[in-house]
Amino acid sequence: MEVAYLQTPIGYAEFQGDENGLASVSVFDDKKPIGIIPEVLEDAIYQFKEYFEGSRKEFDLKLNPSGTDFQKKVWDALLEIPFGKTISYLELSKRLGDVKAIRAVASANGKNPLWIVVPCHRVIGTNGDLTGYAGGLHRKKWLLEHESPAKQTTLF
């Protein structure tokens, strides 16, 4: 598994992947060593730079996350949430065909290993509140404001 790092406006991103695809993207507060980018991760780094510059709204990467079949089903559903839009955990559960699975859906959402690429940050509480986010609510807020079609001083 190859590893690369990228400094972003909201932390240091760590990319892990190989010829089978991108396995994970995580974010950290701590400074990470920005070194030579392995060839298998160059496209992911390039697309992330475009995303943070505001010129990319969708990622076109080969993905290879590890997870259960149910988690992968949830992550696939997250990929259907358009840039600049949000849905609730309840709506996501409905889209997956089982309203009663809301807690399991939320848990799978929280275990998403592909930060930003699989846009779990676009899932909010039914009442519109920002709710749990593995990367920290300050990052979720930043990402939603970054993706907001109407650039505002503050969205939340």
Side-chain angles (χ1 to χ4, degrees), residues 61-80:
L61 299 167
K62 184 178 179 182
L63 305 179
N64 189 27
S66 292
T68 67
D69 288 344
F70 179 77
Q71 288 170 334
K72 289 178 181 181
K73 181 179 173 184
V74 172
W75 302 336
D76 285 344
L78 293 172
L79 290 169
E80 301 300 317

Side-chain angles (χ1 to χ4, degrees), residues 18-33:
D18 56 25
E19 64 280 348
N20 295 316
L22 189 62
S24 72
V25 181
S26 305
V27 64
F28 301 94
D29 290 323
D30 300 334
K31 188 172 182 174
K32 298 292 180 183

Side-chain angles (χ1 to χ4, degrees), residues 15-110:
F15 299 77
Q16 292 187 13
D18 56 25
E19 64 280 348
N20 295 316
L22 189 62
S24 72
V25 181
S26 305
V27 64
F28 301 94
D29 290 323
D30 300 334
K31 188 172 182 174
K32 298 292 180 183
I34 311 289
I36 297 172
I37 301 167
E39 187 176 343
V40 295
L41 297 173
E42 286 177 348
D43 199 30
I45 297 282
Y46 180 76
Q47 289 187 35
F48 258 70
K49 286 179 179 178
E50 289 180 326
Y51 171 84
F52 282 109
E53 291 167 356
S55 62
R56 176 170 291 277
K57 295 183 179 183
E58 293 180 11
F59 292 92
D60 183 23
L61 299 167
K62 184 178 179 182
L63 305 179
N64 189 27
S66 292
T68 67
D69 288 344
F70 179 77
Q71 288 170 334
K72 289 178 181 181
K73 181 179 173 184
V74 172
W75 302 336
D76 285 344
L78 293 172
L79 290 169
E80 301 300 317
I81 306 169
F83 182 95
K85 302 288 184 188
T86 59
I87 66 168
S88 69
Y89 288 98
L90 180 61
E91 176 60 29
L92 183 56
S93 297
K94 287 179 183 176
R95 289 183 184 187
L96 290 164
D98 188 356
V99 174
K100 293 178 183 173
I102 190 168
R103 289 185 189 273
V105 167
S107 176
N109 191 63

